[in-house]
Amino acid sequence: MNNKILTAREKEVFNLLILNKSTKEIAISLGISEKTVRNHISNAIQKLEVKGRAQAVVELLKLGEIKL
């Protein structure tokens, strides 16, 4: 896929993830289903070409897409 530009929603999900929110809490907070939250995370992981949530967070921090 190699397109590292995340959607605003994908960034929003990761900003909540780094606040230690669960998938369920993120879903409730954004008014979307847990499956949709997982899809956003999965799409971001594919775009960033990493192996998991933790690596995605590290990559997004490096790219300046999210901040701690």
Side-chain angles (χ1 to χ4, degrees):
M1 205 177 230
N2 208 13
N3 177 4
K4 290 191 179 185
I5 299 170
L6 266 52
T7 65
R9 187 60 114 184
E10 289 163 352
K11 286 182 204 175
E12 208 173 358
V13 167
F14 273 91
N15 277 312
L16 291 168
L17 266 181
I18 61 173
L19 295 175
N20 210 25
K21 301 284 183 199
S22 69
T23 302
K24 185 174 187 171
E25 289 170 326
I26 293 169
I28 291 166
S29 172
L30 298 179
I32 58 179
S33 73
E34 288 181 60
K35 178 159 180 28
T36 302
V37 172
R38 286 192 296 274
N39 286 342
H40 286 313
I41 293 167
S42 179
N43 290 340
I45 287 169
Q46 279 188 316
K47 287 180 187 179
L48 295 166
E49 300 175 339
V50 295
K51 290 190 170 82
R53 293 178 182 204
Q55 281 186 338
V57 168
V58 170
E59 191 65 22
L60 289 169
L61 288 167
K62 282 188 205 168
L63 294 169
E65 293 288 330
I66 60 175
K67 292 181 178 21
L68 287 177

